[in-house]
Amino acid sequence: MRRKSSELRKGALELVVLTLLARSPRYGGQIVEALSTRPGLELSAGTLYPLLNRLRGGGLVECEWRESPVGPPRKYYALTRKGRAAQQELVRQWNELTGAVSALVEDET
């Protein structure tokens, strides 16, 4: 069961990261920080950066270096047009799935 839970979380994290980037471009630390206060969605840089690289490789995310007022330049990630369409489709699928699961669970109780 733990493996399936891990796979479910992995898919949810992809949706969550795409959703954060749909709101505004962010650098990795901002993404980690934004999720750190949400139980179940916390992730480490070691989890985030491979995910961002995979999204970038799929053409969903692009990145650019920006100067930082308090240190070295930071790599900001933003959705591409393809990424925005993928995020919207994932939201649609997520809503459909969670609605169906909730209805089934409620029918069983």
Side-chain angles (χ1 to χ4, degrees):
M1 182 68 164
R2 181 147 174 85
R3 180 168 182 246
K4 290 186 186 224
S5 174
S6 175
E7 290 173 15
L8 179 61
R9 185 174 189 280
K10 181 179 174 183
L13 286 176
E14 182 173 321
L15 171 58
V16 166
V17 168
L18 288 172
T19 297
L20 286 174
L21 295 177
R23 293 178 182 163
S24 66
R26 298 170 192 250
Y27 63 91
Q30 288 176 312
I31 296 170
V32 170
E33 186 177 314
L35 298 178
S36 69
T37 61
R38 299 176 186 267
L41 295 179
E42 309 95 336
L43 77 164
S44 68
T47 300
L48 176 63
Y49 288 107
L51 171 58
L52 288 170
N53 285 333
R54 192 172 77 250
L55 294 173
R56 186 174 178 213
L60 305 180
V61 169
E62 59 190 4
C63 60
E64 70 174 353
W65 288 97
R66 295 185 188 173
E67 291 298 322
S68 168
V70 293
R74 294 177 173 153
K75 188 185 278 190
Y76 277 75
Y77 297 87
L79 291 187
T80 61
R81 184 172 295 156
K82 181 178 175 183
R84 191 163 301 280
Q87 185 269 345
Q88 291 170 349
E89 177 60 18
L90 284 173
V91 167
R92 187 196 65 72
Q93 290 175 11
W94 179 263
N95 289 336
E96 183 179 294
L97 175 64
T98 57
V101 170
S102 292
L104 178 67
V105 169
E106 290 171 13
D107 284 348
E108 294 297 318
T109 57

